[in-house]
Amino acid sequence: MPSAGLAWQTLSDPGALALVDADSGRAAALARPHPADLPMVQIVDIERLAWGWLSPASRPQSERHLQEQVTADPLNTMRGLCWLMAMWVVAVHLRTGRQPTVLVADLRVPGIWQGPETPASAAVWEDLADRIRLGVLAALTGDGDTDTRFGEALHHPANIAPVLLGYALRMLTELHRQMLDHGIDPREMAGTLALYTVDPQDRATACFRPLT
C-alpha cells in the first residue's frame, strides 16, 4: 500500500481506483489495462518478483524467474514491468508535482560509469535506457504508436529482451529510491488495484488519468 499521505478512493468506474495525495491535493485515476493487452494477474506477479529483486536475499531467485518469463513472453513481461514503473511514476508525480512525462525522461540506469573516454559505451547504455523509457511512456500514455515502437525495440536485435530486463530492473531500483526519498512506499500498489477493480470492457480507457 502507498505510504501515509497517499490513499486509495473508489470511483464510479469499476475498473479503476483514485490515488490521492492528501498533502498536495493531487489525484489520479489508476485503471487496469485491457486483459487482451496485458493481464492484470501478470502485472501483480511481476510486482511480486520486482519486490523480490529489490531485496538482496531473494534477488537471485526473483531474477531467475523474471529471466524465464522474459524468455517465454518478452513483450508482456517487459510491458508489465514498464507498466509497474509507470504506476510508480504517477505516485511520484502526485507527491512532487513533477510532470509524469518529465519523470520518465529523467529515468536513468544507476551505477554505470560514463565519461568522455567511453563515448561508444555511453551511447549503447543510453540506447538501452531509451528503450525502457519508451516502454514506460507507452504504459503511461496508452499511445498505440509508442507501444508499437516499444514492441519493435524488444525484438531488434534478436534476443535483446533479456538484456533490457536487466537494465529495466536497475532503473526500477533507482525509481524505488526516489519514492523512498519522497516518503512513498509503493508495496502492493498493483495488488491493491487488482483486488478492488475488474477488467475494463473498453480498450480506449487510459490506465493513468489525472483527476486534478
Side-chain angles (χ1 to χ4, degrees), residues 152-174:
E152 293 169 352
L154 293 176
H155 292 94
H156 302 287
N159 300 319
I160 190 65
V163 176
L164 290 172
L165 173 65
Y167 276 73
L169 289 169
R170 296 175 75 168
M171 294 171 80
L172 180 136
T173 301
E174 181 66 11

Side-chain angles (χ1 to χ4, degrees), residues 19-206:
L19 186 62
V20 182
D21 189 303
D23 295 336
S24 68
R26 285 180 283 268
L30 277 58
R32 292 180 180 223
H34 192 278
D37 297 327
L38 183 62
M40 193 66 201
V41 66
Q42 191 162 10
I43 295 175
V44 173
D45 187 48
I46 288 172
E47 179 182 55
R48 176 182 60 82
L49 292 173
W51 273 100
W53 194 87
L54 288 168
S55 172
S58 55
R59 177 170 296 179
Q61 182 180 19
S62 294
E63 185 166 1
R64 183 173 68 254
H65 287 311
L66 284 165
Q67 288 289 354
E68 290 171 353
Q69 288 192 18
V70 83
T71 299
D73 185 1
L75 181 59
N76 273 359
T77 302
M78 293 304 298
R79 269 180 174 169
L81 190 58
C82 288
W83 195 97
L84 182 67
M85 293 172 71
M87 176 183 266
W88 290 8
V89 162
V90 170
V92 174
H93 157 68
L94 296 179
R95 177 56 52 87
T96 67
R98 296 189 67 205
Q99 288 304 308
T101 52
V102 173
L103 291 166
V104 173
D106 285 346
L107 289 173
R108 294 290 181 269
V109 181
I112 295 180
W113 177 75
Q114 300 181 34
E117 298 84 358
T118 58
S121 295
V124 170
W125 295 329
E126 189 60 20
D127 173 72
L128 294 171
D130 272 344
R131 297 183 192 215
I132 304 304
R133 287 190 285 262
L134 188 66
V136 179
L137 190 63
L140 181 68
T141 63
D143 181 72
D145 289 340
T146 304
D147 185 61
T148 298
R149 289 166 54 208
F150 178 57
E152 293 169 352
L154 293 176
H155 292 94
H156 302 287
N159 300 319
I160 190 65
V163 176
L164 290 172
L165 173 65
Y167 276 73
L169 289 169
R170 296 175 75 168
M171 294 171 80
L172 180 136
T173 301
E174 181 66 11
L175 181 56
H176 179 246
R177 183 195 61 76
Q178 283 187 51
M179 298 184 82
L180 295 181
D181 286 348
H182 291 295
I184 304 169
D185 182 355
R187 280 178 292 184
E188 298 182 7
M189 286 183 68
T192 300
L193 185 65
L195 183 62
Y196 293 104
T197 59
V198 297
D199 286 333
Q201 300 297 313
D202 187 359
R203 236 194 188 110
T205 302

